[in-house]
Amino acid sequence: MRTITVGFVIIIAFFMACSNPGSEASDAYDADIIIYGGTSAAVTAAVKVARSGQSVIVVSPDIHLGGLSSGGLGFTDTGNKEVIGGLSREFYQRVYEYYQQEETWRWQDRSDFGNRGQGTTALDEEFGTMWIFEPHIAEKVFEDFIEEEGITVLRDEWLNRKDGVSTENERIVFFETLSGKIFRGEMFIDATYEGDLMAAAGVSYHVGRESNDTYDEEWNGVQTGVYHHSHFFPPDGPYVDPYVSPGDPSSGIIAGVSVAPPGDKGSGDHRVQAYCFRMCLSDHPDNKVPFPKPDNYEPSQYLLLLRLFESGWHERNNFFAKYDEIPNRKTDTNNHGPVSTDYIGMSYDYPEASYERREQIIREHEDYQKGMMYFLANDPRVPREIQDEVKRWGLAKDEFTDNGNWPHQLYIREARRMIGEVVMTEHEVLGNREVPEPVGMGSYTLDSHNVQRYITPEGYVQNEGDIGVSPDQPYQISYGSLIPKREEIQNLLVPVALSASHIAFGSIRMEPVFMILGHSAAAAAVLALIEDQAVQDVDYSLLREELQEDGQILWYP
């Protein structure tokens, strides 16, 4: 373990103050390991570093820690819970402990909770885990981790992506945030959904879908004619017309439909899967807020939804299938159906966009989704049985109380993905290829939400990109997918925007797995720090031993 002396800190602070005239010495920060991001992976990485005895600083653009895990995604995508270990499992154990307290059950008797999880029970009494939870409980757990380990977190600090990363001899020396603060470390971890530090450091990455030819895959690229879930317009009808005046292309296209051709099946493109907010709703009379009307509300934006209802959509009465129950009469509300809370086609430029443009995209998603809920609850053209059910719900009054009861985090399902030492593909996920040096496991379906909505050659609306292919059993995730190529950067690990093809990332991108990989990335960073070596040179046998002692699951029988 390296010890940082007071004198060394003073020297570094003086150096940075002199070499950066606009920065005062008080704006210089130094730690063994610097973590950029406020996601669940950022927290588990920081906890692992602190418990290993090294100094760590979390530099978070977010004010609220936990990303989607505390941002509305409480109906956990567990997959096979047997392969969730280490600090990830500890998170769910701590959630369980909160729900053992009677005061936690404020709006519902514990006995009235349905105990249904995603492929498992919500409350696992045998192993003391709780997989389904409210956003504010998740945030409490993350903050407990930070407080107990005495971890320094600087919030609302945004990386200077233009010229704020200093590298030398294939190593990051320091990075600067827009506020002028400078963060110097021996090792760095990019735990953002976007991969901003990785990209600014010059690491190779990909945005969008690779062609199937790129990695000899089947489920990557454009997937026209593939209908795996129920999030498409019935290909055999009834059909939905895309034109303002049905049958008249000259009348214009209704909102939400693209005129661009979808592309050849299996070809790559720049598109990313749709984003949405995971709303937390309540039907308790004393804990719900009516759906607000956005300032720029425009009912015509939801004409496609009306046409879906008018077509006699076969799942019309199943419109509420993804109002998944979480404790205290609340929901984790996700997309469902051909037209839903997923804002299809409206996030393509998000991964590379400026902060200002990203904020605009986030607001557009918020306005779309808020407007949809207001439309469903109030527009007289909405079928009565659907409108009456929507009116029963509202935003949960005791969640996201500093943000108008709206989630802080947009669901960035996919942004940049590193091209690292190893690229995870569908072959590894489906068990068709051996995985070198595993540092964690995943098990969820190869899952991509819709990527685009287009007009078919016959002149009707259709969605494309929604894929769901389940692996036969849990799969391993390679250490090489967390590290850049040696010739690029040698002291950075990337556990979230990791090295994977679009479709493989569709399985890996689940919150329990991000926490697993944050933990493992931190363990590797500590070993590289102690041995004074590149992350590409970490002795895997030592890393494996460390992870197994921490309870990480690296093999499935």
Side-chain angles (χ1 to χ4, degrees), residues 3 72 107 154 322 325 331 373 427:
T3 302
W107 305 107
L154 282 81
K322 290 305 293 177
E325 182 186 13
T331 71
M373 300 311 295
H427 300 292

Side-chain angles (χ1 to χ4, degrees), residues 466-483:
D466 187 85
I467 299 296
V469 178
S470 296
D472 292 334
Q473 63 180 25
Y475 58 89
Q476 297 167 316
I477 301 171
S478 174
Y479 175 59
S481 69
L482 307 187
I483 55 177

